[in-house]
Amino acid sequence: MTSEKELEEAQNLLKIAEKEYENAYAAIRVYQMDPENMVLGQPLIIRSPISGQVIENTLVTGQYLKDDADPVAVVANLSHVWITAQVKEKDLRFIHEKSKMKIVIPAYPGKEILGEIFHIDEAIDEETRSVKVLSVCPNDEEILKLGMYVTIQFTDMPRQQVVVPEKALLQDEKSTFVFVATTPHVYVKRPVEVDVTRDGKAYITDGLHSGEVVISEGGYYLK
């Protein structure tokens, strides 16, 4: 009985040793080394599995490293970088995955980089009422640094809209409206939906059709 017990213990120890050997073998292969041609005590050259730059290095000469130690160096390929934008809830309708965008870098006045929307988060931050939008953009010149602030200008999909002078818009208690010419010298009050006003122009989403004539200024005299 004693011999059988010793045999089982020896077999278990062998299995444990074989597993440890497999783990060590695989760990060495990760660093692109050949365990079959290594000798005890030779220096171990650690090669990164990816090309890039060392962006963090806490290694100290003579430092003892265990197999469960935290990483002591970080390598990153910065030829393309991720950018996270905060987009307000009210502006979500203007952005879509794969849409193009323009990145303006305050650190480099006049410098612009083109990027693309990769992912729009599904959750809204209840405090800021904004959504995280993840974008990817080229960084061939390596001017974008980790943690840098940038301004993103999203490009909406092209669409047709009726545009009128902003001064043509009038407001009452219920709605925004304009005066539309129906016949010579006859004008009708027409409620409209305004998408946005910019540079003295109002972009209309509902209420007007292309080609209709409106009072562009002084319409309040008709009220």
Side-chain angles (χ1 to χ4, degrees):
M1 296 294 294
T2 302
S3 298
E4 291 181 0
K5 183 177 181 181
E6 291 176 349
L7 176 60
E8 290 179 359
E9 291 177 351
Q11 289 175 335
N12 290 334
L13 291 174
L14 177 60
K15 290 180 180 179
I16 294 174
E18 288 176 343
K19 189 61 178 179
E20 291 178 347
Y21 173 79
E22 292 175 0
N23 291 339
Y25 191 98
I28 294 175
R29 293 294 297 173
V30 168
Y31 299 113
Q32 305 177 28
M33 299 291 293
D34 184 4
E36 302 295 343
N37 297 321
M38 294 181 65
V39 296
L40 185 63
Q42 80 171 72
L44 178 62
I45 300 175
I46 306 299
R47 294 180 173 86
S48 171
I50 64 171
S51 61
Q53 300 177 357
V54 178
I55 60 174
E56 183 178 342
N57 183 7
T58 60
L59 190 62
V60 179
T61 302
Q63 181 179 351
Y64 176 75
L65 298 178
K66 299 188 297 182
D67 56 0
D68 59 349
D70 293 332
V72 295
V74 177
V75 177
N77 186 337
L78 300 179
S79 60
H80 285 75
V81 296
W82 297 102
I83 294 178
T84 301
Q86 300 286 347
V87 178
K88 292 297 184 181
E89 180 181 2
K90 64 182 180 63
D91 296 325
L92 284 177
R93 68 184 188 277
F94 299 123
I95 61 175
H96 313 276
E97 290 187 5
K98 303 299 182 181
S99 294
K100 303 300 181 182
M101 63 183 192
K102 181 168 62 177
I103 298 98
V104 180
I105 310 170
Y108 299 91
K111 184 68 175 179
E112 296 179 352
I113 298 177
L114 296 179
E116 182 179 276
I117 297 177
F118 180 79
H119 176 70
I120 301 172
D121 207 343
E122 301 297 336
I124 293 179
D125 188 318
E126 295 183 0
E127 294 184 0
T128 62
R129 305 308 303 175
S130 62
V131 173
K132 288 184 179 180
V133 177
L134 185 63
S135 307
V136 60
C137 67
N139 190 33
D140 297 332
E141 299 179 26
E142 298 183 356
I143 60 177
L144 290 173
K145 308 299 181 183
L146 300 181
M148 178 180 284
Y149 282 97
V150 298
T151 300
I152 297 179
Q153 298 176 0
F154 295 104
T155 303
D156 193 12
M157 299 295 291
R159 55 179 176 172
Q160 293 184 345
Q161 281 187 304
V162 176
V163 181
V164 300
E166 186 176 359
K167 292 181 179 180
L169 300 179
L170 299 170
Q171 191 77 36
D172 60 17
E173 296 180 356
K174 296 182 179 180
S175 63
T176 300
F177 64 93
V178 296
F179 281 107
V180 181
T182 55
T183 58
H185 308 297
V186 176
Y187 299 93
V188 176
K189 179 179 177 181
R190 179 89 60 78
V192 294
E193 294 290 336
V194 181
D195 184 10
V196 66
T197 57
R198 183 169 52 242
D199 300 328
K201 299 178 181 179
Y203 295 79
I204 308 300
T205 58
D206 189 34
L208 283 178
H209 300 287
S210 178
E212 289 187 305
V213 178
V214 302
I215 295 293
S216 61
E217 190 172 355
Y220 59 87
Y221 289 115
L222 300 177
K223 297 172 61 176

